[in-house]
Coordinates of all heavy atoms in Angstrom, one line a residue:
M1 N 2.5 28.8 18.1 CA 2.5 28.5 16.7 C 1.0 28.3 16.3 O 0.4 27.4 16.8 CB 3.3 27.3 16.4 CG 3.3 26.9 14.9 SD 4.3 25.5 14.6 CE 4.8 25.8 13.0
P2 N 0.5 29.1 15.3 CA -0.9 28.9 14.9 C -1.1 27.7 14.1 O -0.2 27.3 13.3 CB -1.1 30.2 14.1 CG 0.2 30.6 13.6 CD 1.2 30.2 14.7
T3 N -2.2 27.1 14.3 CA -2.6 25.9 13.4 C -3.7 26.3 12.6 O -4.7 27.0 13.0 CB -2.9 24.7 14.3 OG1 -3.2 23.6 13.4 CG2 -4.0 24.9 15.3
Y4 N -3.7 25.9 11.3 CA -4.7 26.3 10.4 C -5.7 25.1 10.1 O -6.7 25.3 9.5 CB -4.1 26.7 9.1 CG -3.2 27.9 9.3 CD1 -1.8 27.7 9.3 CD2 -3.7 29.2 9.5 CE1 -1.0 28.8 9.5 CE2 -2.9 30.2 9.8 CZ -1.5 30.1 9.8 OH -0.7 31.1 10.0
V5 N -5.4 24.0 10.7 CA -6.3 22.8 10.5 C -7.3 22.7 11.6 O -8.5 22.5 11.3 CB -5.4 21.5 10.5 CG1 -6.3 20.3 10.3 CG2 -4.4 21.6 9.4
M6 N -6.9 22.9 12.8 CA -7.9 22.8 13.9 C -7.7 24.0 14.8 O -6.6 24.5 15.0 CB -7.6 21.6 14.8 CG -7.7 20.3 14.0 SD -9.3 19.8 13.5 CE -10.1 19.4 15.1
P7 N -8.8 24.6 15.4 CA -8.7 25.7 16.3 C -7.9 25.3 17.6 O -8.0 24.1 18.0 CB -10.2 26.0 16.6 CG -11.0 25.4 15.6 CD -10.2 24.2 15.1
E8 N -7.2 26.2 18.1 CA -6.4 25.9 19.3 C -7.2 25.4 20.5 O -6.8 24.5 21.2 CB -5.7 27.2 19.8 CG -4.6 27.6 18.9 CD -3.4 26.7 18.9 OE1 -3.1 26.1 20.0 OE2 -2.7 26.6 17.9
E9 N -8.5 25.8 20.7 CA -9.3 25.4 21.8 C -9.7 23.9 21.6 O -9.8 23.2 22.6 CB -10.5 26.2 22.0 CG -11.5 26.3 20.8 CD -11.1 27.5 19.9 OE1 -10.1 28.2 20.0 OE2 -11.9 27.6 18.9
L10 N -9.8 23.4 20.4 CA -10.1 22.0 20.2 C -8.8 21.1 20.5 O -9.0 20.0 21.0 CB -10.5 21.7 18.7 CG -12.0 22.0 18.4 CD1 -12.3 21.7 17.0 CD2 -12.9 21.3 19.3
L11 N -7.7 21.7 20.2 CA -6.4 20.9 20.5 C -6.1 20.8 22.0 O -5.6 19.8 22.4 CB -5.2 21.6 19.8 CG -5.3 21.6 18.2 CD1 -4.2 22.5 17.7 CD2 -5.3 20.2 17.7
A12 N -6.5 21.9 22.7 CA -6.2 21.9 24.1 C -7.2 21.1 25.0 O -6.8 20.5 25.9 CB -6.2 23.3 24.6
E13 N -8.5 21.2 24.6 CA -9.5 20.5 25.4 C -10.3 19.6 24.6 O -11.4 19.9 24.1 CB -10.4 21.6 26.0 CG -9.7 22.5 27.0 CD -10.7 23.5 27.6 OE1 -11.9 23.4 27.4 OE2 -10.2 24.4 28.4
T14 N -9.8 18.4 24.4 CA -10.5 17.4 23.6 C -11.7 16.8 24.5 O -11.6 16.8 25.8 CB -9.6 16.2 23.2 OG1 -9.1 15.6 24.4 CG2 -8.5 16.8 22.3
P15 N -12.7 16.2 23.9 CA -13.7 15.6 24.7 C -13.2 14.5 25.7 O -13.8 14.3 26.8 CB -14.7 15.0 23.7 CG -14.5 15.8 22.4 CD -13.0 16.2 22.5
S16 N -12.2 13.8 25.3 CA -11.6 12.7 26.1 C -11.1 13.3 27.4 O -11.2 12.8 28.5 CB -10.5 11.9 25.4 OG -11.1 11.3 24.3
R17 N -10.4 14.4 27.3 CA -9.8 15.1 28.5 C -10.9 15.7 29.3 O -10.8 15.8 30.6 CB -8.8 16.2 28.0 CG -7.5 15.5 27.6 CD -6.4 16.6 27.4 NE -5.6 16.2 26.3 CZ -5.0 17.0 25.5 NH1 -5.1 18.3 25.7 NH2 -4.3 16.6 24.4
L18 N -11.9 16.2 28.7 CA -13.0 16.8 29.5 C -13.8 15.8 30.4 O -14.3 16.1 31.4 CB -14.0 17.5 28.6 CG -13.5 18.7 27.8 CD1 -14.6 19.2 26.8 CD2 -13.1 19.8 28.8
V19 N -13.8 14.5 30.0 CA -14.4 13.4 30.8 C -13.4 12.7 31.7 O -13.8 11.8 32.4 CB -15.1 12.4 29.9 CG1 -16.3 13.0 29.2 CG2 -14.2 11.6 29.0
G20 N -12.1 13.2 31.7 CA -11.2 12.7 32.7 C -10.1 11.8 32.3 O -9.3 11.3 33.1
I21 N -9.9 11.6 31.0 CA -8.8 10.8 30.5 C -7.6 11.7 30.5 O -7.6 12.8 30.0 CB -9.0 10.3 29.1 CG1 -10.2 9.3 29.1 CG2 -7.8 9.6 28.5 CD1 -10.6 8.7 27.7
P22 N -6.5 11.2 31.2 CA -5.3 12.0 31.2 C -4.7 12.2 29.9 O -4.8 11.4 29.0 CB -4.3 11.2 32.1 CG -5.2 10.2 32.9 CD -6.4 10.0 32.0
E23 N -4.0 13.3 29.7 CA -3.4 13.7 28.4 C -2.4 12.6 27.9 O -2.4 12.3 26.7 CB -2.6 15.0 28.5 CG -2.0 15.5 27.2 CD -1.4 16.9 27.4 OE1 -1.5 17.5 28.4 OE2 -0.7 17.3 26.4
E24 N -1.6 12.0 28.8 CA -0.7 11.0 28.4 C -1.4 9.7 27.9 O -1.0 9.1 26.9 CB 0.2 10.6 29.6 CG 1.4 9.7 29.2 CD 2.3 10.4 28.2 OE1 2.5 11.6 28.2 OE2 2.8 9.6 27.3
D25 N -2.5 9.3 28.6 CA -3.3 8.2 28.1 C -3.9 8.4 26.7 O -3.9 7.5 25.9 CB -4.4 7.8 29.1 CG -3.8 7.3 30.4 OD1 -2.6 6.9 30.4 OD2 -4.5 7.2 31.4
E26 N -4.4 9.6 26.5 CA -5.0 9.9 25.3 C -3.9 9.9 24.1 O -4.2 9.3 23.1 CB -5.6 11.3 25.3 CG -6.3 11.7 24.0 CD -6.9 13.1 24.0 OE1 -6.7 13.9 24.9 OE2 -7.7 13.4 23.0
K27 N -2.8 10.4 24.4 CA -1.7 10.4 23.5 C -1.3 9.0 23.1 O -1.1 8.6 22.0 CB -0.5 11.2 24.0 CG 0.7 11.3 23.1 CD 1.8 12.1 23.7 CE 3.0 12.1 22.8 NZ 4.1 12.9 23.4
T28 N -1.2 8.1 24.2 CA -0.9 6.7 24.0 C -1.9 6.0 23.1 O -1.6 5.2 22.2 CB -0.7 6.0 25.3 OG1 0.3 6.6 26.1 CG2 -0.3 4.5 25.1
N29 N -3.2 6.3 23.4 CA -4.3 5.7 22.6 C -4.2 6.2 21.1 O -4.5 5.4 20.2 CB -5.6 5.9 23.2 CG -5.9 5.1 24.4 OD1 -5.3 4.0 24.5 ND2 -6.7 5.6 25.3
R30 N -3.9 7.4 20.9 CA -3.8 8.0 19.6 C -2.7 7.3 18.8 O -2.8 7.0 17.6 CB -3.7 9.5 19.6 CG -4.9 10.2 19.9 CD -4.6 11.7 20.0 NE -5.8 12.4 20.4 CZ -6.7 13.0 19.5 NH1 -6.4 12.9 18.2 NH2 -7.7 13.7 19.9
I31 N -1.6 7.1 19.4 CA -0.4 6.5 18.8 C -0.8 5.0 18.5 O -0.5 4.5 17.4 CB 0.8 6.6 19.7 CG1 1.3 8.0 19.8 CG2 1.9 5.6 19.2 CD1 2.4 8.3 20.8
F32 N -1.4 4.3 19.4 CA -1.8 3.0 19.2 C -2.8 2.9 18.0 O -2.6 2.0 17.1 CB -2.5 2.4 20.4 CG -3.1 1.0 20.3 CD1 -2.2 -0.1 20.1 CD2 -4.4 0.8 20.3 CE1 -2.8 -1.4 19.9 CE2 -5.0 -0.5 20.2 CZ -4.1 -1.5 20.0
G33 N -3.7 3.8 17.9 CA -4.7 3.8 16.8 C -4.0 4.0 15.4 O -4.3 3.3 14.4
C34 N -3.0 4.9 15.4 CA -2.3 5.2 14.2 C -1.4 4.0 13.8 O -1.3 3.7 12.6 CB -1.4 6.4 14.3 SG -2.4 7.9 14.3
E35 N -0.9 3.3 14.8 CA -0.1 2.1 14.4 C -1.0 1.0 13.9 O -0.6 0.3 13.0 CB 0.6 1.6 15.7 CG 1.8 2.4 16.1 CD 2.5 2.0 17.4 OE1 2.0 1.1 18.0 OE2 3.5 2.6 17.7
L36 N -2.2 0.9 14.5 CA -3.2 -0.1 13.9 C -3.5 0.2 12.5 O -3.6 -0.7 11.6 CB -4.5 -0.1 14.8 CG -4.4 -0.8 16.1 CD1 -5.8 -0.6 16.8 CD2 -4.2 -2.3 15.9
I37 N -3.8 1.4 12.2 CA -4.1 1.9 10.8 C -3.0 1.6 9.9 O -3.2 1.0 8.8 CB -4.5 3.3 10.8 CG1 -5.8 3.5 11.5 CG2 -4.6 3.9 9.4 CD1 -6.2 5.0 11.8
A38 N -1.7 1.9 10.3 CA -0.6 1.6 9.5 C -0.4 0.1 9.2 O -0.2 -0.3 8.1 CB 0.7 2.2 10.1
L39 N -0.5 -0.7 10.2 CA -0.3 -2.2 10.0 C -1.4 -2.7 9.2 O -1.2 -3.6 8.3 CB -0.3 -2.9 11.4 CG 1.0 -2.6 12.2 CD1 0.8 -3.2 13.6 CD2 2.2 -3.2 11.5
A40 N -2.7 -2.3 9.4 CA -3.8 -2.8 8.6 C -3.6 -2.4 7.1 O -3.9 -3.1 6.2 CB -5.1 -2.4 9.2
G41 N -3.2 -1.1 6.9 CA -3.0 -0.6 5.6 C -1.9 -1.4 4.8 O -2.0 -1.7 3.6
I42 N -0.8 -1.8 5.6 CA 0.3 -2.5 4.9 C -0.3 -3.9 4.6 O 0.0 -4.4 3.5 CB 1.5 -2.6 5.9 CG1 2.1 -1.2 6.0 CG2 2.5 -3.7 5.4 CD1 3.1 -1.1 7.1
M43 N -1.0 -4.6 5.5 CA -1.5 -5.9 5.2 C -2.5 -5.9 4.0 O -2.6 -6.8 3.3 CB -2.2 -6.5 6.4 CG -1.2 -7.0 7.4 SD -1.9 -8.0 8.6 CE -2.1 -6.9 10.0
L44 N -3.3 -4.8 3.9 CA -4.3 -4.7 2.8 C -3.6 -4.1 1.5 O -4.3 -4.0 0.5 CB -5.4 -3.7 3.2 CG -6.3 -4.3 4.3 CD1 -7.3 -3.2 4.8 CD2 -7.1 -5.5 3.7
R45 N -2.4 -3.8 1.6 CA -1.6 -3.3 0.4 C -2.2 -2.0 -0.2 O -2.4 -1.9 -1.4 CB -1.5 -4.4 -0.6 CG -0.7 -5.5 -0.2 CD -0.4 -6.5 -1.3 NE 0.3 -7.7 -0.8 CZ -0.3 -8.9 -0.8 NH1 -1.5 -9.1 -1.3 NH2 0.3 -9.9 -0.3
V46 N -2.6 -1.1 0.7 CA -3.1 0.2 0.2 C -2.0 1.2 0.2 O -0.9 0.9 0.8 CB -4.3 0.7 1.1 CG1 -5.5 -0.2 1.1 CG2 -3.8 1.0 2.5
S47 N -2.1 2.3 -0.5 CA -1.1 3.2 -0.7 C -0.8 4.0 0.7 O -1.6 4.0 1.6 CB -1.4 4.3 -1.7 OG -2.5 5.0 -1.3
Q48 N 0.4 4.6 0.7 CA 0.7 5.4 1.9 C -0.2 6.6 2.1 O -0.5 7.0 3.2 CB 2.2 5.9 1.8 CG 2.7 6.5 3.1 CD 2.7 5.6 4.3 OE1 3.2 4.5 4.2 NE2 2.2 6.1 5.4
A49 N -0.7 7.1 1.0 CA -1.6 8.3 1.0 C -2.9 7.8 1.7 O -3.5 8.6 2.5 CB -1.9 8.8 -0.4
T50 N -3.4 6.6 1.4 CA -4.6 6.1 2.1 C -4.4 5.9 3.5 O -5.2 6.2 4.4 CB -5.0 4.8 1.4 OG1 -5.2 5.0 0.0 CG2 -6.3 4.3 2.0
I51 N -3.2 5.4 3.9 CA -2.9 5.2 5.4 C -2.9 6.5 6.1 O -3.4 6.7 7.2 CB -1.6 4.4 5.5 CG1 -1.7 3.0 5.0 CG2 -1.1 4.4 7.0 CD1 -0.4 2.2 4.9
N52 N -2.2 7.5 5.4 CA -2.1 8.8 6.1 C -3.5 9.5 6.2 O -3.8 10.1 7.2 CB -1.3 9.8 5.2 CG 0.2 9.3 5.2 OD1 0.6 8.5 6.1 ND2 1.0 9.8 4.3
T53 N -4.4 9.3 5.2 CA -5.7 9.8 5.3 C -6.5 9.2 6.4 O -7.2 9.8 7.1 CB -6.5 9.6 3.9 OG1 -5.7 10.3 2.9 CG2 -7.9 10.2 4.0
G54 N -6.3 7.9 6.6 CA -7.0 7.2 7.7 C -6.5 7.7 9.0 O -7.4 7.8 9.9
Q55 N -5.3 8.0 9.2 CA -4.8 8.5 10.4 C -5.3 9.9 10.7 O -5.6 10.2 11.8 CB -3.2 8.5 10.4 CG -2.7 7.1 10.5 CD -1.2 7.0 10.3 OE1 -0.6 7.9 9.8 NE2 -0.6 5.9 10.7
I56 N -5.4 10.7 9.7 CA -6.0 12.0 9.8 C -7.4 11.9 10.2 O -7.9 12.7 11.2 CB -5.8 12.9 8.6 CG1 -4.3 13.2 8.4 CG2 -6.6 14.1 8.6 CD1 -4.0 13.8 7.0
L57 N -8.2 11.1 9.6 CA -9.6 10.9 9.9 C -9.7 10.4 11.4 O -10.6 10.9 12.1 CB -10.3 9.9 9.0 CG -10.5 10.4 7.5 CD1 -10.9 9.2 6.7 CD2 -11.4 11.5 7.5
F58 N -8.9 9.5 11.8 CA -8.8 9.0 13.2 C -8.7 10.1 14.2 O -9.4 10.3 15.1 CB -7.7 8.0 13.3 CG -7.5 7.4 14.6 CD1 -8.4 6.4 15.1 CD2 -6.5 7.8 15.4 CE1 -8.2 5.9 16.4 CE2 -6.3 7.3 16.7 CZ -7.1 6.3 17.2
H59 N -7.6 11.0 13.9 CA -7.4 12.1 14.9 C -8.5 13.1 14.9 O -9.0 13.5 15.9 CB -6.1 12.8 14.5 CG -4.9 12.1 14.9 ND1 -4.6 11.8 16.2 CD2 -3.8 11.6 14.2 CE1 -3.4 11.1 16.3 NE2 -3.0 11.0 15.1
R60 N -9.1 13.4 13.7 CA -10.1 14.4 13.7 C -11.4 13.9 14.4 O -12.1 14.7 15.0 CB -10.4 14.8 12.2 CG -9.3 15.6 11.6 CD -9.6 16.0 10.2 NE -10.7 17.0 10.2 CZ -10.6 18.3 10.2 NH1 -9.4 18.8 10.3 NH2 -11.7 19.1 10.2
F61 N -11.6 12.6 14.3 CA -12.8 12.0 15.0 C -12.7 12.2 16.5 O -13.6 12.7 17.1 CB -12.9 10.5 14.7 CG -14.0 9.8 15.4 CD1 -15.3 9.9 14.9 CD2 -13.8 9.2 16.6 CE1 -16.4 9.3 15.5 CE2 -14.9 8.5 17.2 CZ -16.2 8.6 16.7
Y62 N -11.5 12.0 17.0 CA -11.3 12.2 18.5 C -11.2 13.6 18.9 O -11.1 13.9 20.1 CB -10.2 11.3 19.0 CG -10.6 9.9 19.1 CD1 -9.9 8.9 18.5 CD2 -11.6 9.5 19.9 CE1 -10.2 7.5 18.6 CE2 -12.0 8.2 20.1 CZ -11.3 7.2 19.4 OH -11.7 5.9 19.5
Y63 N -11.2 14.6 18.0 CA -11.3 16.0 18.4 C -12.7 16.3 18.7 O -13.0 17.4 19.2 CB -10.6 16.9 17.4 CG -9.1 16.9 17.5 CD1 -8.3 16.6 16.4 CD2 -8.5 17.2 18.7 CE1 -7.0 16.6 16.5 CE2 -7.1 17.2 18.8 CZ -6.4 16.9 17.7 OH -5.0 16.9 17.8
R64 N -13.7 15.5 18.3 CA -15.1 15.7 18.5 C -15.8 14.7 19.4 O -16.8 15.0 20.0 CB -15.8 15.7 17.1 CG -15.4 16.8 16.2 CD -15.8 18.1 16.6 NE -15.4 19.1 15.7 CZ -15.6 20.4 15.9 NH1 -16.2 20.8 17.0 NH2 -15.2 21.3 15.0
K65 N -15.2 13.5 19.5 CA -15.8 12.5 20.3 C -14.8 12.0 21.4 O -13.6 12.0 21.2 CB -16.3 11.3 19.5 CG -17.2 11.7 18.4 CD -18.6 12.1 18.9 CE -19.5 12.5 17.8 NZ -20.8 13.0 18.3
S66 N -15.4 11.4 22.4 CA -14.6 10.9 23.6 C -14.1 9.5 23.3 O -14.8 8.7 22.8 CB -15.4 11.0 24.9 OG -14.7 10.3 25.9
M67 N -12.9 9.1 23.8 CA -12.4 7.8 23.8 C -13.2 6.8 24.7 O -13.1 5.6 24.6 CB -10.9 7.7 24.1 CG -10.1 8.3 23.0 SD -8.4 8.2 23.4 CE -7.7 8.9 21.9
I68 N -13.9 7.4 25.7 CA -14.7 6.5 26.5 C -15.9 6.0 25.8 O -16.3 4.9 25.9 CB -15.1 7.3 27.8 CG1 -13.9 7.5 28.7 CG2 -16.2 6.6 28.6 CD1 -14.1 8.3 30.0
D69 N -16.5 6.9 25.0 CA -17.7 6.5 24.2 C -17.4 5.7 23.0 O -18.3 4.9 22.6 CB -18.5 7.8 23.8 CG -19.0 8.6 25.0 OD1 -19.2 8.0 26.1 OD2 -19.1 9.8 24.9
H70 N -16.3 5.9 22.4 CA -15.9 5.2 21.2 C -14.5 4.6 21.3 O -13.5 5.3 21.4 CB -15.9 6.2 20.0 CG -17.2 6.9 19.9 ND1 -18.3 6.4 19.2 CD2 -17.6 8.1 20.3 CE1 -19.3 7.2 19.3 NE2 -18.9 8.3 19.9
K71 N -14.5 3.3 21.2 CA -13.2 2.5 21.4 C -12.3 2.7 20.3 O -12.7 2.9 19.1 CB -13.5 1.0 21.7 CG -14.4 0.8 22.8 CD -13.8 1.3 24.1 CE -14.7 1.0 25.3 NZ -14.5 1.9 26.4
V72 N -11.0 2.6 20.5 CA -10.0 2.9 19.5 C -10.0 1.9 18.4 O -9.9 2.3 17.2 CB -8.6 2.9 20.2 CG1 -7.5 3.1 19.2 CG2 -8.5 4.1 21.2
L73 N -10.1 0.6 18.6 CA -10.0 -0.4 17.5 C -11.0 -0.2 16.4 O -10.7 -0.1 15.2 CB -10.0 -1.8 18.1 CG -9.9 -2.9 17.1 CD1 -8.6 -2.9 16.3 CD2 -10.1 -4.2 17.7
P74 N -12.3 -0.1 16.8 CA -13.3 0.1 15.7 C -13.2 1.4 15.0 O -13.4 1.5 13.8 CB -14.7 -0.1 16.4 CG -14.4 -0.5 17.8 CD -12.9 -0.4 18.1
V75 N -12.8 2.4 15.7 CA -12.7 3.7 15.1 C -11.5 3.7 14.1 O -11.6 4.3 13.0 CB -12.5 4.9 16.1 CG1 -12.1 6.2 15.5 CG2 -13.8 5.0 17.0
A76 N -10.4 3.1 14.5 CA -9.2 3.0 13.6 C -9.5 2.2 12.4 O -9.2 2.7 11.3 CB -8.1 2.3 14.4
M77 N -10.2 1.1 12.5 CA -10.6 0.3 11.3 C -11.6 1.1 10.4 O -11.5 1.0 9.2 CB -11.1 -1.0 11.7 CG -10.0 -1.9 12.4 SD -8.5 -2.2 11.4 CE -7.4 -1.1 12.1
T78 N -12.5 1.8 11.0 CA -13.5 2.5 10.2 C -12.8 3.7 9.5 O -13.1 4.0 8.4 CB -14.6 3.1 11.2 OG1 -15.2 2.0 11.8 CG2 -15.6 3.9 10.4
A79 N -11.8 4.3 10.2 CA -11.1 5.4 9.5 C -10.3 4.9 8.3 O -10.3 5.6 7.3 CB -10.1 6.1 10.5
L80 N -9.7 3.7 8.4 CA -9.0 3.2 7.3 C -10.0 2.8 6.1 O -9.7 3.1 5.0 CB -8.2 2.0 7.7 CG -7.3 1.4 6.5 CD1 -6.3 2.4 6.0 CD2 -6.6 0.1 7.0
F81 N -11.1 2.3 6.5 CA -12.1 1.9 5.5 C -12.6 3.2 4.8 O -12.7 3.2 3.5 CB -13.3 1.3 6.2 CG -14.5 1.0 5.2 CD1 -14.4 0.0 4.3 CD2 -15.6 1.8 5.3 CE1 -15.5 -0.2 3.4 CE2 -16.7 1.6 4.5 CZ -16.6 0.6 3.5
L82 N -12.9 4.3 5.5 CA -13.3 5.5 4.9 C -12.2 6.1 4.1 O -12.5 6.7 3.0 CB -13.8 6.5 6.0 CG -15.1 6.2 6.7 CD1 -15.3 7.1 7.8 CD2 -16.2 6.1 5.7
A83 N -11.0 6.0 4.5 CA -9.8 6.5 3.7 C -9.7 5.8 2.4 O -9.4 6.5 1.4 CB -8.5 6.3 4.5
T84 N -10.0 4.5 2.3 CA -10.0 3.9 1.0 C -11.1 4.4 0.1 O -10.9 4.5 -1.2 CB -10.2 2.3 1.1 OG1 -11.4 2.0 1.7 CG2 -9.1 1.7 1.9
K85 N -12.2 4.9 0.6 CA -13.2 5.5 -0.2 C -12.8 6.9 -0.6 O -13.1 7.3 -1.7 CB -14.6 5.5 0.6 CG -15.0 4.2 1.1 CD -15.1 3.2 -0.1 CE -15.4 1.8 0.4 NZ -15.1 0.7 -0.5
V86 N -12.3 7.7 0.3 CA -11.9 9.0 0.0 C -10.8 9.0 -1.1 O -10.8 9.8 -2.0 CB -11.4 9.7 1.3 CG1 -10.7 11.1 0.9 CG2 -12.5 10.0 2.2
E87 N -9.8 8.1 -1.0 CA -8.7 8.1 -1.9 C -9.1 7.2 -3.1 O -8.2 7.0 -4.0 CB -7.5 7.5 -1.2 CG -6.9 8.3 -0.1 CD -6.4 9.7 -0.6 OE1 -5.8 9.7 -1.8 OE2 -6.5 10.6 0.1
E88 N -10.3 6.7 -3.2 CA -10.8 5.9 -4.3 C -9.9 4.7 -4.6 O -9.5 4.4 -5.7 CB -11.0 6.7 -5.5 CG -12.1 7.8 -5.4 CD -12.3 8.6 -6.6 OE1 -11.6 8.4 -7.6 OE2 -13.2 9.4 -6.6
E89 N -9.5 4.0 -3.5 CA -8.7 2.8 -3.6 C -9.5 1.6 -3.1 O -9.7 1.5 -1.9 CB -7.4 3.0 -2.8 CG -6.5 1.8 -3.0 CD -5.1 2.1 -2.5 OE1 -4.7 3.3 -2.3 OE2 -4.4 1.2 -2.2
Q90 N -10.0 0.9 -4.0 CA -10.9 -0.2 -3.6 C -10.3 -1.4 -3.0 O -9.3 -1.9 -3.6 CB -11.8 -0.6 -4.9 CG -12.6 0.6 -5.4 CD -13.3 0.2 -6.6 OE1 -13.2 -0.9 -7.1 NE2 -14.2 1.1 -7.1
R91 N -10.7 -1.8 -1.9 CA -10.3 -3.0 -1.2 C -11.5 -3.6 -0.6 O -12.3 -3.0 0.1 CB -9.3 -2.7 -0.1 CG -8.0 -2.3 -0.5 CD -7.2 -3.4 -1.1 NE -6.0 -2.9 -1.8 CZ -5.4 -3.6 -2.7 NH1 -5.9 -4.7 -3.1 NH2 -4.4 -3.1 -3.3
G92 N -11.7 -4.9 -0.8 CA -12.8 -5.6 -0.2 C -12.4 -6.1 1.1 O -11.3 -6.2 1.5
P93 N -13.4 -6.6 1.9 CA -13.1 -7.1 3.2 C -12.4 -8.5 3.1 O -12.6 -9.2 2.1 CB -14.5 -7.3 3.9 CG -15.5 -7.3 2.7 CD -14.8 -6.5 1.6
R94 N -11.5 -8.8 4.0 CA -10.8 -10.1 4.0 C -11.2 -10.9 5.1 O -11.5 -10.6 6.1 CB -9.3 -9.8 4.1 CG -8.7 -9.2 2.8 CD -7.2 -9.2 2.9 NE -6.8 -8.8 1.6 CZ -5.5 -8.9 1.3 NH1 -4.6 -9.5 2.1 NH2 -5.1 -8.5 0.1

């Protein structure tokens, strides 16, 4: 099935897999990051569109960078912060 968002070669060989992280571990970390973004978004009372945008930014970041070099928690929170800016939903730090 063709994907129009990301090239197939990026989906198959992410930087994390190239440095030795197993596919299952990468998948688990991606799910964990998305859950963090969802929970933080709910606590901050942002819209579902903002949460979804944060999760997309999170995934797209890890198609270019390795999970060894960039830890999941700070990347997830940064993705949510950037999503509030993209969606123009202002939230201050708590």
Side-chain angles (χ1 to χ4, degrees):
M1 176 179 210
T3 178
Y4 301 103
V5 178
M6 300 293 289
E8 288 291 330
E9 58 271 5
L10 281 179
L11 297 174
E13 295 182 6
T14 62
S16 298
R17 286 193 216 146
L18 293 175
V19 296
I21 294 178
E23 182 177 353
E24 190 61 35
D25 291 347
E26 182 181 10
K27 183 178 177 183
T28 302
N29 284 336
R30 286 176 181 268
I31 291 170
F32 175 67
C34 285
E35 288 176 354
L36 283 174
I37 292 170
L39 289 173
I42 290 167
M43 285 195 259
L44 290 170
R45 296 188 187 113
V46 297
S47 68
Q48 187 64 46
T50 303
I51 293 171
N52 293 344
T53 301
Q55 291 173 338
I56 290 169
L57 291 171
F58 176 79
H59 282 300
R60 290 183 67 91
F61 179 82
Y62 281 122
Y63 282 124
R64 297 289 184 185
K65 302 294 180 183
S66 171
M67 288 184 177
I68 289 179
D69 298 332
H70 304 280
K71 302 301 179 199
V72 173
L73 179 63
V75 172
M77 294 303 101
T78 303
L80 183 59
F81 173 75
L82 290 174
T84 62
K85 303 306 173 197
V86 169
E87 297 293 328
E88 295 182 357
E89 186 164 338
Q90 298 178 354
R91 289 287 169 204
R94 288 190 172 195

